[in-house]
Amino acid sequence: MINLTINNKKLQVEEGTTIFEAAKLNNILIPHFCYMENVHQIGSCRICVVEVEGGKTLMASCVTPATEGMIVHTNSERVRDVRKVIFELMLSDHPKECLSCWRNQNCELQDLGNLIQLHEFRYEGAKSKDVIDSSSPSIVRDSSKCILCRRCVTVCNEIQGVGLMNPHHRGFSTFIGPSEDELLGESVCTNCGQCVLVCPVGALKEKDSTAAVWEALYDKSRTVVVQTAPAVRAALGEVFAYEPGTLVTGKMAAALHQLGFDYVFDTNFAADLTIMEEGSEFLERVTNAFNTKEKNHVLPMITSCSPGWIKFMEHRYPDQLAHLSSCKSPHMMLGALTKTYFAEKMNIDPAKLFVVSVMPCTAKKFEITRPEMFSNGLADVDAVITTRELGRMIKDAGIDFRSLEDGEFDSPLGLSSGAADIFGTTGGVMEAALRTVYELVTGRELPGIKLHIKPLSGLNRIKTAELKIENPLPAYSFLNGVTVKVAVTSGLKGAAELLEQIKNGTSPYHFIEIMGCPGGCISGGGQPRPVNDAIRTLRLEAIYREDEGKLLRKSHENEDIQMLYRDFLGAPLGHKSHELLHTVYAQRSKN
Amino acid sequence: MYPVTELIKNLADRHGRERRNLLPILQGVVEQEKYLSEYSMIEIARELDLPASEVYGTATFYSFLEYKKMGKYIIRICKTITCSMKGKNQIIKTIEDMLKINVGETTPDGNFSLLQTNCLGFCHKAPAMLINYEVYTDLTPEKVREILTNYINKKGREE
Amino acid sequence: MPSPAYLLKRVDFIFKDEKDWKEILKNSINRPAHELINELISSELKGRGGAGFPTGLKWKLTAEVDDSIKYVICNADEGEPGTFKDREILSKVPLKVLTSMAVCGHVIGSKEGYIYLRGEYFFLQPELNKSIREFKDYCNEINFDFTIRIFMGSGAYICGEETALFESMEGKRGEPRNKPPFPSTYGYMGKPTVINNVETLAHCYTIFEYGSKRFYDLGVQYSRGSKLFSVSGDTPKPGIYELELGMSLVDFVDEFGDGDTKAVQVGGASGFLVPRKGFRETTIGFQGKLTGISLPTGGSMMLFNSSRSMYNVLDNYLEFFREESCGQCTPCRVGCQQLLNGIKAVKRGEKNALYLNKLMRLTETMQYTAKCGLGQSVANSFSAIVENFREEMIY
């Protein structure tokens, strides 16, 4: 243990603790800016400097380890003085157009200003950059607002392994982004939006789609359908000052009705459908491998719900695309069904239908522009808004979210099982699939407390599990004694690790779930800020609560899904399914 | 195969394909090509299995790794304090008049680029300049004219 | 009038011939490591790059770390404006530097050395490589396993900062790291590394050749030995001179000034500017407790006479720093730019003279909060110029 003194308070901390952490553990707040716990501690902004007695200079507390006998002052005259000057320097290279900035009142630079109380701007001068790149359907980069904290650099490189956001040039000319002439929309950007999630200011933001949605809502000739992803209900409340982890499913449905959507559907319905299709596809591949022993079987199969992950795969492992499930992501399935099954049923001209997806995700904005996502010349989904954008629309419409009575999803694309809920979190798709597949193969329920596969949940980067098949139904007798090996990862760096194994031929797995964002959709690029592991955990627990609160826990038991197959699709992997619910992938270049 | 692709491959063979070999490879390309084209940087990224953006970010950090097309001879005039005191502006003026280009430009025939650079470490012999890797010191307008004339003639002879 | 306390003393160690290098190498590597370390420690040699860290202690700390891979790096990224001594050493007595690197390898347990040579000195390569080959041949001959390679820089002043230099060698942007950890435990490729300036290594050779006493006897308390000075600016005799440490600036100006010296820049743009009235009380050395102020230096001595505008000098420095800042930390990246804007605005009359005080506060912030020495040192010349030549800043 290390003994140190901070602001005359004697403290004991473990060796290796930084001054910043030591202070925090003892309820001393050191103003900070670029710091992100456990993720980004590089000491670049210098806001968190403190005075260490005997030191020639001040120390960045986020990177300086506490040492024995250290005497630290976090609020000395010098510290407060320089903190103000550094903040002024940040502002001197930042447009002060706060009122028109989309981050107004939700901006870490404003928060910092509030904290350290600045009342004059002494240093004015050159602005270093002014490029606005809106080439991407998902993310807009406004370099004029960038204050070079480099959080996006860390996330894009260390967490996601994409390596696109980087510092370029030197000195005052330094800028962060893809290289000088490269546009986000034409780059290897996966559109995951993790950079948007960590940007403290308005330099990185989702491409706004609310205008298009408002326009559709005001257009009387259109029938506007909205669907919401599983993870949205576990985070939307945070926009309205609910504690992280508060489920607001009912209020969300009510708010969507009040906004004027004609039908409020649930992407969860399509999540159940995904399990039927993807589960069947997995069984088909397993059958090829173990029964007919086809040489060309492709295992492991990898989930395909996460469009950021898909684009990453297309750029980095274009020769491994056969491992991807051919299933579209759930909201694309629901979009396609809305414009066919639902349109037929309600006798609505599909061209008059406008489908909006509310997603925790920025990559879905890109996904709907893919040429594969059009059926009969119509886009499966017309607009994607993020959880944050929905929050803005609700506020803009003057809806008092907190006082709303719970509403319901509409039929026939609204009923879902608990298995669909857990699609919102890492490990959830795999668990949902196994609940169905195991039962189809053995005729018995998936073993495990409350139908959960414990090793697959939680925030560890790579999680694995094994499931031994014993006494299967006669149709699957060839699987008797087989141990099915599965792996789950979230975040693209983990994905790359698993893909390298596949590439080298050393992957022991049969089935892999990959979600592009760390923690899965609960902390997708379109979710409310801030996101850290504590908040991830709270959202994750909310998702499992939603699952366990339902009587219907398995996708194949969803009666509306059964009706859909009976009335419209026929069987999983059937002709219609292939046409509407499955897709193909593109080979893209690595750089 | 483009010649530069071949060059990059050879450089990678010679220096290695680890991240720490990046600078020598970038330098090798600049030595031959005088600058790093977007194509070169993407090729280097491919060869070293790095994101292209990282190669770009690294290259643009260093003043001598030009990323805009440069002439065959890159003239770098030291602009730091002693050279500045000892008449580097006159030297620049002389070259600009002679080559009919401004600082930052390349002659239309692609032979000369004129740049300024920070301290070359010849303060006791100021003003100083580099032409490619060759140093010239104690410059006067006359001396610079003579040096450049030699380069122009040499260039003429080579053609 | 020479000051009574001290007179300028010329020394000739560094450029004295290197013909005995084989013998010195062989003798040194047959001595136990602790003995060599003690030799360096008792010489009180301090790093000649400018920071002045005790060389013997640096070797000792690195020797004590247990690791099978360690590196010896010679910092030849000589970029400080006004400094040109390292090039001279590497072209005239390269084998002294190579010998000391190898001895360091023996002391700390390293088999690999690098010379990080600034891109501007590309032309030194062929000759230096020749010396390296000659050196390697002898190492092979005596069965001593040590390999030295040149690593070329590419034009970035900041790479002279040791951790930025490691980053650069690792193929990255030359951005300084956070310290701790220090190079003795976590240097190039995360391995324990000794990094010494070219001149420091040349002095090590002198110490191995003649023993620590010869070195210690030169100079004054806290500032032992001799040092190369790069003299430039308004002087009739610019060049490189080896002088004993502890000299008074007034003696220096007597010797090298042109009779009209109004200020001396000690230690380059990142060093200290001493106006005429401070010559007498200033000595050149490391934090010595002599009379007046003692200034450390990497050896750059630039003289300015009364025809020079100190505004132009400061403008030139700030532009240099603005371009050479790595762009990582806020105070340095933005500070250098806004200082430059600030003095221009005052000069043009857009801001009144009081604005200079606000700029002083900005440099003070940089001094206390910048991540590395570059940003921290901008205040040195800024405050001296603004305080002593305020009128030149305004009119």
Side-chain angles (χ1 to χ4, degrees):
Chain A
M1 293 298 268
I2 299 267
N3 297 289
L4 78 161
T5 309
I6 302 182
N7 298 350
N8 302 320
K9 209 167 152 182
K10 288 196 182 339
L11 314 172
Q12 248 197 359
V13 293
E14 273 180 46
E15 206 171 329
T17 311
T18 62
I19 297 175
F20 183 89
E21 289 159 353
K24 196 175 160 193
L25 285 171
N26 290 280
N27 303 318
I28 297 167
L29 173 79
I30 299 175
H32 55 281
F33 190 75
C34 66
Y35 172 87
M36 269 167 58
E37 196 177 354
N38 299 329
V39 177
H40 181 70
Q41 286 159 239
I42 63 166
S44 71
C45 77
R46 314 306 282 180
I47 285 288
C48 74
V49 290
V50 294
E51 196 165 341
V52 176
E53 281 187 18
K56 264 201 321 209
T57 62
L58 304 183
M59 308 287 220
S61 60
C62 71
V63 289
T64 309
T67 53
E68 184 62 35
M70 201 176 232
I71 301 171
V72 179
H73 302 281
T74 73
N75 280 314
S76 66
E77 187 181 2
R78 166 148 293 144
V79 171
R80 287 184 58 252
D81 196 54
V82 300
R83 206 185 277 151
K84 276 196 168 66
V85 175
I86 297 170
F87 181 61
E88 274 181 82
L89 287 176
M90 283 182 170
L91 288 179
S92 78
D93 192 19
H94 184 82
K96 292 179 242 352
E97 301 156 356
C98 298
L99 284 180
S100 61
C101 179
W102 72 299
R103 287 298 293 273
N104 192 26
Q105 308 230 323
N106 177 23
C107 165
E108 293 181 42
L109 198 58
Q110 283 179 337
D111 294 346
L112 181 65
N114 226 348
L115 198 65
I116 65 183
Q117 291 291 308
L118 186 74
H119 301 291
E120 56 173 340
F121 297 123
R122 288 166 298 187
Y123 309 111
E124 281 302 328
K127 298 275 190 281
S128 60
K129 46 216 171 322
D130 59 358
V131 176
I132 296 178
D133 174 2
S134 52
S135 60
S136 156
S138 297
I139 294 166
V140 178
R141 185 172 72 88
D142 178 351
S143 68
S144 70
K145 290 176 180 162
C146 175
I147 37 81
L148 290 103
C149 69
R150 302 196 179 193
R151 285 183 186 175
C152 59
V153 176
T154 299
V155 168
C156 190
N157 286 272
E158 310 295 324
I159 309 287
Q160 296 298 68
V162 174
L164 185 66
M165 298 302 271
N166 278 304
H168 305 285
H169 294 252
R170 191 173 73 197
F172 192 62
S173 315
T174 309
F175 71 91
I176 310 288
S179 62
E180 192 150 303
D181 303 315
E182 190 173 14
L183 296 170
L184 271 181
E186 293 162 13
S187 72
V188 298
C189 176
T190 64
N191 305 305
C192 73
Q194 287 298 305
C195 57
V196 176
L197 208 53
V198 298
C199 181
V201 293
L204 290 164
K205 57 184 172 183
E206 68 266 16
K207 175 75 84 53
D208 183 89
S209 307
T210 59
V213 175
W214 283 117
E215 199 186 310
L217 286 171
Y218 290 137
D219 184 346
K220 292 281 168 269
S221 69
R222 286 188 146 171
T223 303
V224 188
V225 172
V226 68
Q227 55 168 319
T228 59
V232 176
R233 63 208 68 185
L236 178 65
E238 291 165 38
V239 179
F240 303 98
Y242 284 95
E243 285 298 311
T246 309
L247 282 164
V248 292
T249 320
K251 286 188 194 301
M252 176 180 70
L256 291 166
H257 282 298
Q258 280 206 14
L259 279 170
F261 288 101
D262 298 303
Y263 293 92
V264 179
F265 290 151
D266 198 352
T267 311
N268 286 21
F269 174 83
D272 278 336
L273 184 61
T274 301
I275 291 305
M276 299 306 292
E277 293 290 328
E278 203 167 87
S280 305
E281 185 185 352
F282 178 60
L283 278 175
E284 191 178 275
R285 292 187 188 224
V286 168
T287 306
N288 283 344
F290 290 92
N291 191 23
T292 48
K293 308 227 186 277
E294 275 183 32
K295 279 222 175 67
N296 296 332
H297 74 267
V298 184
L299 284 176
M301 183 177 95
I302 313 176
T303 58
S304 57
C305 307
S306 170
W309 146 241
I310 295 296
K311 189 159 183 273
F312 180 80
M313 172 93 170
E314 290 173 329
H315 284 292
R316 294 284 283 270
Y317 300 97
D319 43 355
Q320 309 291 329
L321 292 175
H323 287 277
L324 285 174
S325 158
S326 63
C327 288
K328 286 181 180 174
S329 72
H331 87 116
M332 298 305 323
M333 288 192 182
L334 199 92
L337 287 175
T338 304
K339 293 196 177 179
T340 52
Y341 173 61
F342 173 71
E344 261 175 61
K345 208 172 170 118
M346 306 301 288
N347 202 15
I348 302 171
D349 174 7
K352 295 277 179 209
L353 272 171
F354 191 88
V355 177
V356 178
S357 300
V358 184
M359 296 284 126
C361 182
T362 46
K364 302 271 185 200
K365 287 174 184 275
F366 163 78
E367 188 184 27
I368 61 169
T369 68
R370 294 181 65 118
E372 301 90 357
M373 298 301 163
F374 287 73
S375 313
N376 307 319
L378 291 177
D380 291 347
V381 171
D382 299 282
V384 167
I385 57 172
T386 60
T387 311
R388 292 190 297 266
E389 285 172 281
L390 175 60
R392 290 207 291 275
M393 285 184 74
I394 294 172
K395 283 184 178 169
D396 190 0
I399 296 168
D400 181 3
F401 189 82
R402 293 182 69 106
S403 69
L404 286 173
E405 297 278 340
D406 281 356
E408 300 264 344
F409 291 108
D410 295 322
S411 215
L413 305 174
L415 179 68
S416 66
S417 73
D421 286 306
I422 58 175
F423 263 59
T425 169
T426 172
V429 175
M430 180 61 73
E431 183 175 309
L434 293 179
R435 282 184 196 173
T436 289
V437 169
Y438 188 83
E439 205 164 311
L440 288 181
V441 170
T442 64
R444 300 184 302 274
E445 254 190 5
L446 181 72
I449 301 162
K450 295 184 187 166
L451 290 176
H452 294 317
I453 307 173
K454 200 76 186 136
L456 297 183
S457 68
L459 296 178
N460 289 339
R461 186 144 87 182
I462 292 178
K463 298 164 286 183
T464 60
E466 296 184 354
L467 202 59
K468 190 161 185 193
I469 309 284
E470 278 164 333
N471 303 320
L473 294 171
Y476 293 100
S477 57
F478 59 90
L479 288 177
N480 197 18
V482 169
T483 301
V484 176
K485 294 181 178 174
V486 301
V488 168
T489 192
S490 62
L492 294 171
K493 200 144 196 185
E497 279 177 38
L498 293 175
L499 258 292
E500 286 299 325
Q501 289 180 350
I502 293 176
K503 218 173 140 180
N504 302 336
T506 58
S507 177
Y509 306 113
H510 301 106
F511 196 1
I512 297 176
E513 175 206 294
I514 295 178
M515 294 191 188
C517 294
C521 310
I522 46 161
S523 43
Q527 293 284 63
R529 299 183 184 80
V531 170
N532 52 43
D533 279 355
I535 291 176
R536 281 189 182 96
T537 304
L538 290 167
R539 290 180 186 168
L540 180 148
E541 287 165 359
I543 292 271
Y544 282 112
R545 270 204 311 282
E546 184 90 335
D547 165 34
E548 288 168 14
K550 282 187 180 166
L551 284 173
L552 179 60
R553 301 285 306 284
K554 303 168 213 157
S555 301
H556 57 279
E557 290 176 355
N558 183 336
E559 284 173 9
D560 282 1
I561 293 282
Q562 291 164 357
M563 181 172 75
L564 173 68
Y565 277 111
R566 219 171 33 239
D567 296 354
F568 184 71
L569 288 174
L573 305 183
H575 171 69
K576 252 206 166 112
S577 289
H578 266 292
E579 195 180 304
L580 294 173
L581 310 181
H582 291 257
T583 187
V584 290
Y585 302 105
Q587 298 207 335
R588 298 174 197 271
S589 72
K590 196 164 176 187
N591 274 304
Chain B
M1 204 193 288
Y2 288 103
V4 68
T5 314
E6 181 111 33
L7 170 70
I8 289 165
K9 207 182 152 298
N10 291 341
L11 285 165
D13 286 342
R14 171 141 56 100
H15 295 289
R17 286 175 167 76
E18 286 172 51
R19 177 75 193 247
R20 62 165 158 174
N21 309 118
L22 178 59
L23 242 58
I25 293 172
L26 291 168
Q27 289 159 351
V29 174
V30 171
E31 202 177 332
Q32 182 175 310
E33 302 281 304
K34 303 298 168 208
Y35 83 113
L36 292 154
S37 64
E38 205 184 314
Y39 178 83
S40 306
M41 288 199 251
I42 291 174
E43 276 303 292
I44 293 170
R46 207 178 46 81
E47 202 63 58
L48 268 63
D49 198 18
L50 282 174
S53 158
E54 287 233 16
V55 174
Y56 186 88
T58 305
T60 55
F61 185 86
Y62 297 93
S63 320
F64 278 24
L65 300 177
E66 300 293 343
Y67 54 93
K68 297 210 169 89
K69 197 159 172 47
M70 287 287 138
K72 185 168 179 213
Y73 297 107
I74 304 177
I75 307 169
R76 290 189 168 90
I77 312 287
C78 175
K79 65 171 179 180
T80 308
I81 185 68
T82 319
C83 290
S84 176
M85 279 160 54
K86 303 273 173 163
K88 68 103 182 162
N89 282 339
Q90 257 182 299
I91 304 301
I92 288 177
K93 183 87 184 24
T94 309
I95 300 176
E96 285 180 338
D97 287 349
M98 238 183 121
L99 298 177
K100 312 261 180 309
I101 52 170
N102 293 317
V103 170
E105 293 177 350
T106 300
T107 52
D109 61 8
N111 280 337
F112 294 96
S113 296
L114 178 60
L115 302 175
Q116 298 196 71
T117 187
N118 281 328
C119 192
L120 289 175
F122 284 89
C123 318
H124 56 325
K125 295 176 178 173
M129 70 174 179
L130 282 177
I131 298 183
N132 290 349
Y133 301 110
E134 209 69 44
V135 195
Y136 299 90
T137 59
D138 292 312
L139 297 176
T140 59
E142 297 73 40
K143 202 168 162 186
V144 165
R145 268 194 288 272
E146 198 181 306
I147 294 165
L148 280 188
T149 308
N150 280 340
Y151 269 90
I152 292 165
N153 291 342
K154 187 166 128 198
K155 183 75 191 100
R157 276 199 306 279
E158 281 169 10
E159 284 162 1
Chain C
M1 189 180 70
S3 82
Y6 205 76
L7 289 169
L8 224 51
K9 287 182 196 153
R10 296 227 183 158
V11 184
D12 181 24
F13 272 130
I14 298 266
F15 294 116
K16 193 181 156 296
D17 68 72
E18 53 183 8
K19 64 179 181 347
D20 298 330
W21 69 271
K22 288 182 181 172
E23 202 187 313
I24 288 163
L25 175 65
K26 210 161 125 187
N27 290 343
S28 300
I29 60 173
N30 284 322
R31 295 170 71 184
H34 68 88
E35 204 182 300
L36 290 157
I37 287 171
N38 286 339
E39 192 86 70
L40 286 180
I41 288 176
S42 49
S43 77
E44 291 189 16
L45 168 63
K46 292 177 180 175
R48 291 317 199 223
F53 192 83
T55 307
L57 182 59
K58 193 182 264 189
W59 288 25
K60 183 168 185 271
L61 290 171
T62 316
E64 282 166 359
V65 182
D66 185 24
D67 203 318
S68 58
I69 299 175
K70 295 181 187 179
Y71 296 102
V72 179
I73 292 173
C74 167
N75 185 346
D77 192 52
E78 181 174 53
E80 187 64 51
T83 317
F84 36 87
K85 62 185 177 73
D86 293 343
R87 185 194 60 240
E88 211 68 5
I89 296 172
L90 287 175
S91 36
K92 291 198 172 133
V93 287
L95 287 161
K96 288 194 180 183
V97 176
L98 303 181
T99 301
S100 293
M101 286 176 76
V103 174
C104 180
H106 159 67
V107 167
I108 67 165
S110 159
K111 295 180 173 23
E112 258 185 279
Y114 288 93
I115 298 173
Y116 187 98
L117 187 63
R118 69 187 301 228
E120 288 83 345
Y121 292 169
F122 187 89
F123 58 90
L124 287 182
Q125 263 193 112
E127 283 299 311
L128 191 54
N129 269 324
K130 219 184 277 174
S131 303
I132 289 173
R133 274 195 299 276
E134 184 188 348
F135 186 79
K136 181 67 187 168
D137 287 345
Y138 181 67
C139 286
N140 290 341
E141 199 182 307
I142 61 171
N143 278 324
F144 180 64
D145 183 9
F146 194 74
T147 307
I148 296 174
R149 294 184 190 87
I150 297 177
F151 190 97
M152 287 305 299
S154 263
Y157 165 77
I158 188 60
C159 291
E161 200 281 342
E162 53 194 18
T163 59
L165 184 147
F166 299 147
E167 291 286 302
S168 176
M169 284 183 65
E170 290 175 15
K172 303 178 201 151
R173 297 164 58 82
E175 294 181 348
R177 300 173 180 167
N178 291 303
K179 287 194 250 187
F182 294 96
S184 55
T185 55
Y186 191 91
Y188 173 53
M189 300 304 284
K191 293 293 175 186
T193 304
V194 162
I195 174 163
N196 281 140
N197 171 260
V198 176
E199 185 188 345
T200 310
L201 291 163
H203 284 298
C204 290
Y205 183 95
T206 305
I207 293 164
F208 299 143
E209 184 172 14
Y210 297 108
S212 56
K213 191 166 183 314
R214 280 285 286 277
F215 185 88
Y216 181 88
D217 284 346
L218 301 175
V220 294
Q221 196 184 5
Y222 304 116
S223 300
R224 296 291 171 189
S226 59
K227 163 110 199 59
L228 287 185
F229 289 90
S230 311
V231 182
S232 67
D234 294 317
T235 167
K237 37 184 177 182
I240 296 162
Y241 302 88
E242 186 172 356
L243 303 169
E244 271 190 62
L245 279 177
M247 67 184 171
S248 154
L249 195 54
V250 78
D251 293 339
F252 177 86
V253 172
D254 277 348
E255 172 88 27
F256 292 100
D258 61 0
D260 186 25
T261 306
K262 93 167 160 186
V264 180
Q265 182 74 37
V266 181
S270 71
F272 299 82
L273 183 116
V274 186
R276 185 180 290 145
K277 66 175 189 221
F279 290 170
R280 193 163 298 280
E281 61 185 13
T282 306
T283 56
I284 306 301
F286 299 100
Q287 318 290 322
K289 297 248 173 354
L290 297 164
T291 53
I293 314 144
S294 172
L295 296 181
T297 170
S300 162
M301 304 293 276
M302 295 189 286
L303 296 94
F304 302 118
N305 69 20
S306 58
S307 74
R308 302 298 172 190
S309 151
M310 295 314 284
Y311 170 83
N312 287 346
V313 170
L314 185 57
D315 183 291
N316 189 286
Y317 289 172
L318 290 175
E319 192 169 318
F320 176 84
F321 287 127
R322 182 185 67 118
E323 288 172 11
E324 296 294 348
S325 161
C326 80
Q328 189 184 184
C329 78
T330 316
C332 180
R333 181 187 68 245
V334 190
C336 293
Q337 173 68 42
Q338 308 311 30
L339 285 175
L340 185 61
N341 278 343
I343 64 161
K344 283 187 199 293
V346 170
K347 189 76 175 177
R348 283 197 296 258
E350 293 161 13
K351 297 258 187 202
N352 67 30
L354 288 175
Y355 192 59
L356 291 172
N357 300 350
K358 294 186 175 172
L359 295 180
M360 293 280 273
R361 225 178 116 195
L362 170 50
T363 57
E364 201 182 297
T365 297
M366 292 168 69
Q367 181 182 353
Y368 283 105
T369 66
K371 190 164 177 174
C372 79
L374 192 160
Q376 289 164 10
S377 62
V378 173
N380 298 345
S381 36
F382 189 95
S383 51
I385 291 176
V386 169
E387 271 167 18
N388 293 296
F389 303 95
R390 202 176 170 86
E391 290 192 349
E392 291 186 37
M393 295 299 114
I394 303 165
Y395 304 107

